[in-house]
Amino acid sequence: MSSFPSQLLTWFDQHGRHDLPWQHPRSPYRVWLSEIMLQQTQVATVIPYFHRFMEAFPTLPDLARADNDTVMANWAGLGYYARARNLHAAAKQCLERHDGDLPRDFDALLALPGIGRSTAGAILSQAWNDSFPILDGNVKRVLTRYHGIVGFPGQPAIEKQLWGLAAAHVAQVPAGRMADYTQAQMDFGATLCTRAKPACILCPLQGNCVAHAEGLVDALPTPKPSKTLPEREATALLLEDAQGRILLLKRPPTGIWASLWTLPQADTDALMREWFATHIQGDYDNAEELPLIVHAFSHYRLHLQPLNARKVALRARVGDNADLRWVSRTELANLGLPAPIRKLLERHRAH
DNA sequence: AAGTCGGGGAA
DNA sequence: TTCCCAGACTT
């Protein structure tokens, strides 16, 4: 009987995706960038960002030497901004310690910020045909079904079991086909063994699939235990000076919307009023309420109330500084803004 | 072991 | 609405 990898590769040769942007050429830098962008992000979302990034930073040293605001601006809208910070930091480390290249060594890759076990395996297998397993959402779904693994895959004990199965399969991959095997697993999970309505009727592994045999396909993988999303409220200030420029604030390098530029924001109206009083010359009570923004994060839902005040100025002793500045409409395009804030400003400009 | 970190597509 | 996606990192 043909092995799991062999059957998967036969399927891949005929039905896999062979023309994704990072496959031509399949260089270490391009594979790395794609793997980081694809963390918790679907292929269709990533593709335009990948093209823009490659245009802005054609080589790893280009990325390493780039200004952080430029990197963040090219990432803005893609989410999980720690990925961009880690990517930039890792590029700098590669320039200093690895001659401007990505190291072809598992532990050296793992030591770079933003690269975990699965991403390191994906890079080495795809860029160099080296034998390393991966364990992403696709592989977790395929393995839990194929082997009939019950239990939430995010649970450490289950995840450990899945890593073991993934490694066992890798040992059976035909020589010279590791890159294709890694891609095959992801293509298979993304296009055939999908979360909803998998195409079992077309599946080459159906005969050996435990979930299929036991009628567990729809029940696996075991879903994450659900919790009700907490609600949070906040107030934001859309402040304009006499020239119509907007006051933006650069957020710290960690936390929500890390290193992005956004509106001054506070958890309560009282705190917002206090910030206004110490930083701005103008009348807070004159500010106009803009439509409420409801934005869902992974772990809470934010109700953000924007207030608009025009023709205000910074208090003299505050002044312009690196983290707080007036931004014109044309400058706006060069800065990284959170998606809901950018939408707010675009709507506001339309009026 | 649990929490933090975005935004969008799909059902 | 809810789930979850080519996960990593912190606590």
Side-chain angles (χ1 to χ4, degrees):
Chain A
M1 183 181 65
S2 189
S3 68
F4 176 93
S6 295
Q7 289 182 302
L8 204 52
L9 282 165
T10 300
W11 174 86
F12 171 76
D13 289 338
Q14 196 173 351
H15 304 289
R17 295 175 290 189
H18 300 276
D19 50 3
L20 294 168
W22 39 91
Q23 294 175 323
H24 308 287
R26 197 156 59 179
S27 70
Y29 173 57
R30 292 164 65 90
V31 168
W32 171 48
L33 178 60
S34 72
E35 288 301 327
I36 301 301
M37 286 187 163
L38 286 161
Q39 288 170 0
Q40 298 294 291
T41 311
Q42 294 179 348
V43 168
T45 303
V46 163
I47 287 176
Y49 283 88
F50 181 83
H51 285 308
R52 264 178 271 155
F53 230 83
M54 288 308 303
E55 192 166 341
F57 317 108
T59 69
L60 192 154
D62 291 331
L63 175 60
R65 297 190 184 108
D67 173 72
N68 182 256
D69 269 335
T70 308
V71 176
M72 297 313 295
N74 278 278
W75 195 277
L78 196 53
Y80 282 157
Y81 298 97
R83 293 185 294 174
R85 175 170 49 87
N86 289 333
L87 185 80
H88 197 198
K92 289 178 179 175
Q93 290 184 24
C94 288
L95 195 57
E96 291 176 6
R97 306 176 196 172
H98 305 292
D99 300 322
D101 289 322
L102 222 51
R104 184 181 174 176
D105 176 81
F106 184 81
D107 291 321
L109 279 178
L110 208 56
L112 292 171
I115 299 182
R117 183 177 177 183
S118 187
T119 298
I123 293 170
L124 289 173
S125 60
Q126 296 202 78
W128 303 102
N129 255 317
D130 292 341
S131 290
F132 290 94
I134 61 168
L135 190 62
D136 61 6
N138 290 310
V139 179
K140 284 177 179 174
R141 184 169 54 256
V142 172
L143 292 183
T144 53
R145 284 176 177 164
Y146 185 77
H147 293 286
I149 308 293
V150 176
F152 174 55
Q155 197 174 342
I158 304 293
E159 190 168 316
K160 185 179 177 182
Q161 187 180 2
L162 293 173
W163 271 115
L165 292 167
H169 287 312
V170 160
Q172 297 184 298
V173 172
R177 299 222 61 187
M178 257 318 294
D180 286 342
Y181 177 67
T182 292
Q183 187 63 47
Q185 293 175 89
M186 300 191 280
D187 290 357
F188 184 75
T191 66
L192 194 155
C193 195
T194 50
R195 180 163 67 93
K197 298 182 182 175
C200 296
I201 191 71
L202 301 175
C203 180
L205 302 169
Q206 188 192 108
N208 299 321
C209 179
V210 174
H212 186 263
E214 300 186 1
L216 292 174
V217 172
D218 290 333
L220 296 178
T222 304
K224 178 189 180 118
S226 64
K227 290 172 186 166
T228 54
L229 221 54
E231 307 276 351
R232 295 190 194 175
E233 295 182 0
T235 304
L237 293 178
L238 204 176
L239 301 176
E240 296 169 84
D241 68 2
Q243 293 98 342
R245 296 180 302 179
I246 294 170
L247 189 64
L248 291 185
L249 191 80
K250 189 178 172 73
R251 298 183 67 93
T254 58
I256 201 79
W257 292 337
S259 302
L260 294 192
W261 290 85
T262 186
L263 301 175
Q265 186 177 323
D267 289 345
T268 66
D269 186 70
L271 286 171
M272 196 78 267
R273 179 186 295 275
E274 189 178 322
W275 185 93
F276 186 94
T278 55
H279 292 79
I280 304 298
Q281 295 178 5
D283 182 9
Y284 186 78
D285 293 305
N286 250 352
E288 176 193 358
E289 283 194 2
L290 299 176
L292 186 70
I293 297 172
V294 181
H295 187 70
F297 293 95
S298 308
H299 47 304
Y300 64 89
R301 191 192 328 275
L302 178 67
H303 296 251
L304 187 63
Q305 176 61 65
L307 302 178
N308 177 222
R310 301 172 190 234
K311 295 180 180 173
V312 298
L314 280 174
R315 290 197 176 280
R317 65 165 192 80
V318 175
D320 254 25
N321 62 63
D323 295 336
L324 186 66
R325 69 181 208 218
W326 293 104
V327 176
S328 69
R329 298 294 188 186
T330 52
E331 290 175 298
L332 216 49
N334 299 324
L335 295 177
L337 274 67
I341 302 301
R342 185 170 290 284
K343 284 176 190 168
L344 168 67
L345 295 183
E346 284 171 1
R347 280 199 306 272
H348 186 68
R349 173 172 47 185
H351 296 317

